[in-house]
Amino acid sequence: MVMAEAEARVLEAIDRLEPVYRALLQSLVRTPSPVGDEGAAQAIVAGHMRDIGLDVDFFDINPAALAADERFNPSPRSYAGRPCVVGKRKGRGGGRSLVLNAHIDTVPVDAPQTWTFPPYGGVIDAGRIYGRGAADDKAGIAECLLVAHAIREAGLSLAGDLMVASVVEDESTGNGSLAAVRRGHVGDAVVIVDGTWPERFIVSHMGQVSFQIRLPGTAGHATSAGPNPIAAVGQVASALQDYVARRNAAQTLPWGTNERPHFINLGMVRGGVWPGSVPAECVIEGQCGFPPPETCAGAKQALREVLRDLAQSPEWPLAAPASLSFVGLEMAPQVGDPRNPMVQLLVETVDRRHGAVLQESVIAGHCDLRHYTATTSAACLYGPGGGRNVHGADEYFELAHLPLVAGNLACVALKWCGVVGE
């Protein structure tokens, strides 16, 4: 069979199956899966994999088995009932293998009353599907499954193995993809279907570390106890932002298009049990982002020095210095090859099918790419397509990109893995 005929058949199958996968995406959006509670959504994914004839590996992460790996990030959450799911269509032999990876976990919903549509409603309006995880990254899950289903529906056999991995904890530790890799679910090439519009790809990202700052207080009555640790939050925030400003002012080269790449985000503050009491402590949690050549160790030391200097200043309101710990995400910057074999194949496919130029996007965020670049140089992020407001209110995904991106990925899969009888 010539490749042109194989492509025509699989693209026709994608068009025919698109309503099924629009409904699947809607079902996934309507099934909440914030980090720590992904089990119900993964059960839907695993059931669908079996329905389309994939061999399914459904497994919980074993942190003890990963602890010695330098890429492992300890997590305070239990992994019981939060499986990763990998479906495989075994190739006929003689071809190259391909992994399509996407993550089922989402960030939690903040202030649902500010959403135009319910955050777990999966409402479709004006060609967009709204809901937490719609774009990040349940559309990616749907597209990976659509590719595998369409190849089967088109009656095509691949020479190489095709794997679809639905992982947990991309948003926090990255341990889901690490567990899948350590379990042997690796390929000659990997596409992580996350983070880009249809004419973008990613091979590089900044480093990040998550941190926790504990401010000590003395619990007691509001009129007699103290000092109050909440009073120090503003000073800590100002000191951290001053540090970021200094680092960005000293940055001689931009990171991609970002001329001020260093950042610190304070994402959570908690303290106290009663309005009329002084809290025993206040806890601040956040993330620090940094470009290469900085390292995780360097970023952590810099944060220690900021808090040390702050505690030594005459304005420090507490009786003891803040304590600093690092829990969760710790990831070095990744600088990939924008001309690696998988990127080149995607560039050719997007140009041939759409007459468009696939361009590199260099991101300040983080992703699971590091786990796969340890096993293959042919790796990148691509898809799931257009959307807005990820991690915020009214997150949405452009539904027109569901068959478009899936079509590109299916054509890539046919060429990379090889079609038996071609």
Side-chain angles (χ1 to χ4, degrees):
M1 179 188 302
V2 297
M3 184 59 68
E5 181 186 348
E7 284 193 359
R9 284 167 55 175
V10 79
L11 292 172
E12 189 278 330
I14 285 173
D15 288 342
R16 190 168 63 252
L17 292 169
E18 188 271 340
V20 174
Y21 284 84
R22 180 180 295 211
L24 175 64
L25 176 55
Q26 215 171 11
S27 177
L28 290 174
V29 171
R30 289 170 175 170
T31 306
S33 56
V35 175
D37 190 20
E38 305 94 337
Q42 287 291 63
I44 294 172
V45 173
H48 193 86
M49 286 181 175
R50 295 187 182 100
D51 289 344
I52 65 174
L54 300 181
D55 296 326
V56 177
D57 187 13
F58 191 83
F59 59 94
D60 287 343
I61 296 171
N62 179 0
L66 304 178
D69 194 302
E70 64 179 5
R71 295 164 296 173
F72 174 69
N73 286 312
S75 171
R77 301 178 181 86
S78 168
Y79 285 109
R82 303 173 52 213
C84 292
V85 189
V86 179
K88 177 188 283 190
R89 173 153 294 123
K90 186 73 175 171
R92 299 283 290 274
R96 298 174 296 184
S97 56
L98 173 62
V99 176
L100 301 178
N101 170 294
H103 67 90
I104 197 70
D105 57 300
T106 72
V107 301
V109 171
D110 192 4
Q113 72 277 7
T114 66
W115 288 60
T116 303
F117 301 105
Y120 296 115
V123 173
I124 294 175
D125 182 73
R128 298 168 175 174
I129 180 169
Y130 287 82
R132 173 59 74 237
D136 184 22
D137 182 33
K138 294 180 177 182
I141 298 284
E143 288 169 357
C144 294
L145 293 169
L146 175 52
V147 169
H149 193 174
I151 291 172
R152 179 197 185 199
E153 187 77 3
L156 302 173
S157 295
L158 300 179
D161 296 345
L162 177 64
M163 287 156 277
V164 174
S166 176
V167 299
V168 302
E169 287 208 356
D170 164 272
E171 297 287 3
S172 55
T173 65
N175 290 339
S177 286
L178 176 60
V181 168
R182 289 288 298 271
R183 201 169 171 89
H185 297 301
V186 296
D188 296 312
V190 177
V191 180
I192 297 178
V193 188
D194 183 21
T196 80
W197 284 59
E199 295 170 5
R200 295 286 187 273
F201 72 92
I202 294 167
V203 292
S204 301
H205 60 73
M206 288 188 0
Q208 291 192 27
V209 294
S210 294
F211 59 84
Q212 185 180 86
I213 299 170
R214 291 185 176 272
L215 303 174
T218 301
H221 194 278
T223 61
S224 59
N228 191 322
I230 293 177
V233 171
Q235 290 189 27
V236 171
S238 294
L240 292 173
Q241 291 309 313
D242 287 346
Y243 160 74
V244 168
R246 292 194 304 272
R247 292 306 305 268
N248 281 324
Q251 185 75 20
T252 57
L253 295 173
W255 174 250
T257 59
N258 189 351
E259 295 183 356
R260 301 174 64 81
H262 294 268
F263 73 87
I264 288 179
N265 180 67
L266 302 181
M268 297 174 63
V269 179
R270 61 183 184 275
V273 295
W274 187 252
S277 300
V278 173
E281 71 171 1
C282 179
V283 180
I284 305 171
E285 295 189 41
Q287 287 186 347
C288 173
F290 49 91
E294 188 165 340
T295 64
C296 292
K300 291 161 73 172
Q301 181 58 29
L303 292 175
R304 293 187 187 99
E305 292 172 1
V306 169
L307 294 180
R308 179 202 63 197
D309 293 346
L310 184 62
Q312 292 173 354
S313 72
E315 293 79 18
W316 183 242
L318 305 183
S323 63
L324 176 66
S325 60
F326 299 93
V327 179
L329 183 70
E330 182 175 320
M331 179 178 16
Q334 168 92 28
V335 181
D337 178 6
R339 295 183 58 81
N340 76 57
M342 179 47 62
V343 171
Q344 290 182 347
L345 182 51
L346 276 164
V347 166
E348 183 273 329
T349 301
V350 170
D351 175 55
R352 177 170 52 82
R353 293 197 65 221
H354 309 290
V357 177
L358 189 68
Q359 299 178 349
E360 182 180 8
S361 178
V362 179
I363 60 169
H366 61 85
C367 63
D368 286 351
L369 190 62
R370 65 198 185 278
H371 298 311
Y372 291 101
T373 52
T375 67
T376 178
S377 61
C380 67
L381 274 71
Y382 174 71
R388 298 288 186 195
N389 306 326
V390 299
H391 294 205
D394 290 334
E395 176 180 353
Y396 70 80
F397 173 70
E398 297 281 359
L399 282 168
H401 293 169
L402 178 65
L404 187 156
V405 171
N408 291 341
L409 291 170
C411 291
V412 163
L414 295 180
K415 284 208 166 184
W416 184 263
C417 300
V419 178
V420 175
E422 181 195 351

